[in-house]
Amino acid sequence: MQEIYLDSNATTCVLPAAVAAARQAMEQGFGNPSSTHATGLQAKAMMDGVRQRASRLLGVGEGRLMFNSGATEGIQTAVLSALCALRERRDAGQRIGSLLLYGATEHKAVPESLAHWNRLLGLNLEVRKLPVDAHGRHDLQALGALIGDAAMLCTMAANNETGVISDLSAIAQLLRQRGADAYWMVDCVQALGKLALNLAATRIDYAPFSGHKLYAPKGIGMLYVRAGAPFTPLMMGGGQEAGQRSGTENMAGIAALGAVLAALEDGTTFRGHADLAAFRAQLVSSLEHAFPGIVFNMPFDLSLPTTLNFSVPGLSSKELLDLFDAARVRVSSGSACSAAKALPSYVLEAMHVPQWRASSAIRLSFGPLIDAETVGAACARIERCGEALRSSCLLPSALAPSPHDGAQDGVIQLSVDGQCTWLLSDAASATCVVIDPAAALVPRLAAFIRCQQLDLRAIVHTARPVDNGAARLALLQELSIEQVGDLGASGELALGQQRLRRVEYGDTHVYLLEQRFAFTGALAPHRIASLLDAGLVTQDTILCAAHDDGTICGTARAMHAGAAPAAELQLDAAGLPAFLRQHPDAVLVDVREAYEHAACAGGVFAGCEVRSVPLSRLAGQVAAWLQQPQRPLVFFCRSGNRSARASACLRRLGHAAAWQLNGGMAMAEATHHPLAIAA
Ligand code: PLP
């Protein structure tokens, strides 16, 4: 299945004509443009041609346009130039503003550069965030109040996470009306090729660009500086770029950028706004069909047609990313993910979208080179992702439960923000119990219970819930159930053939599913010791905590053995076939979730035994794996994070041969190591 790349705001592939131009520049036109011989002059002619073309396209007028390594460098240069000028003015006794203002949704390069150069130059001005409104556009009222005191203003033309287009005319008008003398930088990275620019006709002093966001290679960029705006070079040396940016130019990059600009200028290579908007509408329709309840985090009419930012209730950005990646659709999270916790997107937070949306957002972005066939294929895969979630009972939706192949038994761990909810289900009796429900997981739990047609017998807590039972109530409401018990006065409940018992422990509770599992709240050693003394658990009872510290589960035996886990057992894709030949009894364990399998066509590791045990169900499986004789286990997942956790868990619990596949399937693919292994 071919990859579909929908992450163009991060970077793009390189236009074939740009590859050809770069190649030409490296093979034939390899001269140094500063050399005075013919080879050098030819190179210079090529570079001058690209500069002229860029100047035409961007309306540079009398201003300057220099080549550099990309937007981060352009931003540094602009900030350095403005701040040096401000320092000079201040040293000469002139009044300067006290604020370095930047839009709250700017790329991190902007506030970081402002803070850096402000400190290095000893200016000590206040670096202040300019708020944005609910649409993600600069708050003009706040700007009006602050602009009189601004020494520099940094805004962007279009946002990289949401595609929201700034109202630059309104900002310019405000600057004019107030007679503001602040230097103004506009980050034009996401605007190139998507918005018409006529820079010299504006009040903009500095405008950085980056080639790799529009089909040129990484490492080439441009900076526009308005005629008359102050300028200080960031790099000194041989005086290239008219002394504005020393260092021999990146000629291959410039040639490639030139080819992209030529394509922009001829107007036949890239799609226009109407086509792109139609493609977006098609993608939106598939997303809405696939994920009922989806919320878009950007106003369509104020955004680039090439960027979508959305959240799906009950699904984290990590889960959605895993799902899309399994379907070989490359999108990105609108927020920074770590293993246990997704950091919310500061862009969406600045827009005051609800917290769950800020921390579960996905960005889907494409470039103007996209074609109808790719959009059609992307839509089909998106719909398949929706099907995958439905068939795994994970899609909270208002739709009737979809058919499924019978309820599943199990101990399922769901975690969010470091908190664990456990769902115990018994297939034969179609009953289930929820332990420690987390509010953020309610839609997910409800969807699962409804779809599996389970009878919810109890919702219990190991400690007094921090939300005073709000999650419990919300779950009942979602399931349209009036009331459901805890374990009542008897403290016991039958879950199919098994018995769930409550044990009081101070003001907390431990729940025992026979002696196989203990849901303990905290895994405090003294608590475990007293459960052992009372004969309520054994050394091998699987201990499940209410907090997700990444360890999944434990046993008293492992806790006694101390914290020193066995050495890591790592394999890489290249070594896997030989390992499997040496260990014919090894079991490959795919710890990806069921919906990830459902989203991808065809199996992995064709020809050898692969067991699917999603990480969320690992706790239910470990006891069987720990029994003697132990077979070697090789855990794998998409990128190696989840398999590392699974293998660490098994090793901690005493398994002698729990391996992990480094870098996961993504690395195996990237290093061209065939995943199909002969039986
Ligand atoms: N500004 C914006 C809006 C961006 O999207 C990016 C790249 O992500 C940058 C600046 C930094 O660009 P570069 O990678 O060329 O340094």
Side-chain angles (χ1 to χ4, degrees), residues 653-679:
L653 297 184
H655 197 287
W659 298 75
Q660 84 198 61
L661 187 65
N662 268 339
M665 298 165 65
M667 186 62 83
E669 222 171 273
T671 54
H672 304 294
H673 282 104
L675 294 185
I677 297 152

Short mmCIF file of all heavy atoms in Angstrom, two decimals, residues 653-679:
data_model
loop_
_atom_site.label_atom_id
_atom_site.label_comp_id
_atom_site.label_asym_id
_atom_site.label_seq_id
_atom_site.Cartn_x
_atom_site.Cartn_y
_atom_site.Cartn_z
N LEU A 653 8.85 -8.46 35.08
CA LEU A 653 8.08 -9.51 35.74
C LEU A 653 8.82 -10.84 35.74
O LEU A 653 8.32 -11.84 36.22
CB LEU A 653 6.71 -9.66 35.07
CG LEU A 653 5.80 -8.44 35.15
CD1 LEU A 653 4.45 -8.73 34.55
CD2 LEU A 653 5.63 -7.98 36.59
N GLY A 654 10.01 -10.87 35.16
CA GLY A 654 10.83 -12.07 35.26
C GLY A 654 10.92 -12.90 33.99
O GLY A 654 11.45 -14.02 34.02
N HIS A 655 10.41 -12.39 32.86
CA HIS A 655 10.54 -13.16 31.63
C HIS A 655 11.98 -13.03 31.14
O HIS A 655 12.54 -11.93 31.10
CB HIS A 655 9.58 -12.63 30.56
CG HIS A 655 9.36 -13.60 29.44
ND1 HIS A 655 10.32 -13.85 28.49
CD2 HIS A 655 8.31 -14.40 29.14
CE1 HIS A 655 9.86 -14.76 27.64
NE2 HIS A 655 8.63 -15.11 28.01
N ALA A 656 12.57 -14.16 30.78
CA ALA A 656 14.01 -14.15 30.47
C ALA A 656 14.31 -13.75 29.03
O ALA A 656 15.46 -13.44 28.71
CB ALA A 656 14.59 -15.53 30.75
N ALA A 657 13.32 -13.78 28.18
CA ALA A 657 13.63 -13.53 26.76
C ALA A 657 12.52 -12.70 26.11
O ALA A 657 11.86 -13.12 25.16
CB ALA A 657 13.81 -14.84 26.01
N ALA A 658 12.30 -11.50 26.65
CA ALA A 658 11.29 -10.60 26.06
C ALA A 658 12.02 -9.52 25.27
O ALA A 658 12.58 -8.60 25.85
CB ALA A 658 10.43 -9.99 27.17
N TRP A 659 12.02 -9.66 23.96
CA TRP A 659 12.77 -8.77 23.08
C TRP A 659 11.86 -7.68 22.52
O TRP A 659 10.64 -7.80 22.55
CB TRP A 659 13.36 -9.57 21.90
CG TRP A 659 14.33 -10.63 22.33
CD1 TRP A 659 14.03 -11.83 22.93
CD2 TRP A 659 15.75 -10.58 22.22
NE1 TRP A 659 15.17 -12.52 23.19
CE2 TRP A 659 16.26 -11.78 22.77
CE3 TRP A 659 16.65 -9.64 21.72
CZ2 TRP A 659 17.61 -12.06 22.82
CZ3 TRP A 659 18.00 -9.93 21.76
CH2 TRP A 659 18.48 -11.12 22.31
N GLN A 660 12.51 -6.68 21.98
CA GLN A 660 11.72 -5.65 21.29
C GLN A 660 12.38 -5.34 19.96
O GLN A 660 13.61 -5.42 19.85
CB GLN A 660 11.62 -4.38 22.14
CG GLN A 660 12.81 -3.49 21.98
CD GLN A 660 12.94 -2.47 23.08
OE1 GLN A 660 13.08 -2.80 24.26
NE2 GLN A 660 12.91 -1.23 22.69
N LEU A 661 11.55 -4.99 19.00
CA LEU A 661 12.07 -4.64 17.67
C LEU A 661 12.28 -3.12 17.64
O LEU A 661 11.33 -2.35 17.67
CB LEU A 661 11.06 -5.05 16.60
CG LEU A 661 11.54 -4.90 15.16
CD1 LEU A 661 12.70 -5.83 14.87
CD2 LEU A 661 10.39 -5.17 14.19
N ASN A 662 13.56 -2.75 17.60
CA ASN A 662 13.93 -1.33 17.64
C ASN A 662 13.33 -0.54 16.49
O ASN A 662 13.45 -0.95 15.35
CB ASN A 662 15.44 -1.19 17.50
CG ASN A 662 16.10 -1.15 18.83
OD1 ASN A 662 15.44 -0.85 19.83
ND2 ASN A 662 17.37 -1.47 18.86
N GLY A 663 12.74 0.59 16.81
CA GLY A 663 12.25 1.47 15.74
C GLY A 663 10.99 0.95 15.07
O GLY A 663 10.41 1.61 14.21
N GLY A 664 10.57 -0.26 15.44
CA GLY A 664 9.30 -0.81 14.97
C GLY A 664 9.21 -0.98 13.47
O GLY A 664 10.21 -1.03 12.75
N MET A 665 7.97 -1.08 13.02
CA MET A 665 7.73 -1.34 11.60
C MET A 665 8.22 -0.17 10.74
O MET A 665 8.67 -0.35 9.62
CB MET A 665 6.24 -1.56 11.36
CG MET A 665 5.73 -2.77 12.11
SD MET A 665 3.95 -2.80 12.19
CE MET A 665 3.55 -2.99 10.48
N ALA A 666 8.14 1.06 11.32
CA ALA A 666 8.55 2.23 10.55
C ALA A 666 10.03 2.14 10.20
O ALA A 666 10.44 2.41 9.07
CB ALA A 666 8.28 3.50 11.35
N MET A 667 10.84 1.72 11.16
CA MET A 667 12.28 1.63 10.93
C MET A 667 12.58 0.48 9.97
O MET A 667 13.44 0.60 9.09
CB MET A 667 13.00 1.42 12.27
CG MET A 667 14.49 1.45 12.17
SD MET A 667 15.07 3.04 11.61
CE MET A 667 15.06 3.92 13.15
N ALA A 668 11.86 -0.63 10.15
CA ALA A 668 12.09 -1.78 9.25
C ALA A 668 11.86 -1.34 7.81
O ALA A 668 12.61 -1.70 6.90
CB ALA A 668 11.14 -2.91 9.63
N GLU A 669 10.83 -0.54 7.64
CA GLU A 669 10.50 -0.08 6.30
C GLU A 669 11.55 0.92 5.79
O GLU A 669 12.02 0.83 4.67
CB GLU A 669 9.18 0.66 6.39
CG GLU A 669 8.24 0.37 5.27
CD GLU A 669 6.91 0.99 5.62
OE1 GLU A 669 6.10 0.34 6.30
OE2 GLU A 669 6.71 2.14 5.23
N ALA A 670 11.94 1.84 6.69
CA ALA A 670 12.88 2.88 6.29
C ALA A 670 14.24 2.29 5.91
O ALA A 670 14.93 2.82 5.05
CB ALA A 670 13.05 3.89 7.41
N THR A 671 14.61 1.19 6.56
CA THR A 671 15.93 0.62 6.26
C THR A 671 15.82 -0.48 5.21
O THR A 671 16.77 -1.23 5.00
CB THR A 671 16.59 0.06 7.55
OG1 THR A 671 15.66 -0.84 8.16
CG2 THR A 671 16.94 1.17 8.52
N HIS A 672 14.64 -0.58 4.61
CA HIS A 672 14.41 -1.53 3.52
C HIS A 672 14.69 -2.97 3.92
O HIS A 672 15.27 -3.73 3.17
CB HIS A 672 15.24 -1.17 2.28
CG HIS A 672 14.96 0.23 1.82
ND1 HIS A 672 13.73 0.59 1.32
CD2 HIS A 672 15.71 1.34 1.84
CE1 HIS A 672 13.75 1.88 1.04
NE2 HIS A 672 14.94 2.36 1.34
N HIS A 673 14.33 -3.30 5.14
CA HIS A 673 14.47 -4.70 5.53
C HIS A 673 13.12 -5.36 5.40
O HIS A 673 12.16 -4.95 6.04
CB HIS A 673 15.02 -4.82 6.95
CG HIS A 673 16.49 -4.58 6.97
ND1 HIS A 673 17.04 -3.42 7.42
CD2 HIS A 673 17.52 -5.34 6.52
CE1 HIS A 673 18.35 -3.48 7.27
NE2 HIS A 673 18.66 -4.62 6.72
N PRO A 674 13.08 -6.35 4.55
CA PRO A 674 11.78 -6.97 4.28
C PRO A 674 11.18 -7.54 5.56
O PRO A 674 11.88 -8.16 6.35
CB PRO A 674 12.13 -8.10 3.29
CG PRO A 674 13.60 -8.32 3.44
CD PRO A 674 14.18 -7.04 3.90
N LEU A 675 9.90 -7.24 5.73
CA LEU A 675 9.25 -7.73 6.93
C LEU A 675 8.71 -9.14 6.74
O LEU A 675 8.38 -9.80 7.70
CB LEU A 675 8.10 -6.80 7.31
CG LEU A 675 8.52 -5.39 7.73
CD1 LEU A 675 7.33 -4.60 8.19
CD2 LEU A 675 9.55 -5.44 8.84
N ALA A 676 8.62 -9.56 5.51
CA ALA A 676 8.09 -10.91 5.27
C ALA A 676 9.21 -11.92 5.46
O ALA A 676 10.27 -11.81 4.87
CB ALA A 676 7.53 -11.00 3.87
N ILE A 677 8.97 -12.88 6.32
CA ILE A 677 10.01 -13.84 6.65
C ILE A 677 9.50 -15.23 6.30
O ILE A 677 8.37 -15.58 6.63
CB ILE A 677 10.32 -13.77 8.15
CG1 ILE A 677 10.87 -12.38 8.46
CG2 ILE A 677 11.29 -14.84 8.59
CD1 ILE A 677 10.60 -11.96 9.85
N ALA A 678 10.34 -15.99 5.65
CA ALA A 678 9.91 -17.34 5.26
C ALA A 678 9.68 -18.17 6.51
O ALA A 678 10.38 -18.02 7.51
CB ALA A 678 10.99 -17.98 4.41
N ALA A 679 8.67 -19.03 6.46
CA ALA A 679 8.36 -19.86 7.62
C ALA A 679 9.50 -20.85 7.87
O ALA A 679 10.17 -21.25 6.94
CB ALA A 679 7.07 -20.61 7.37
#
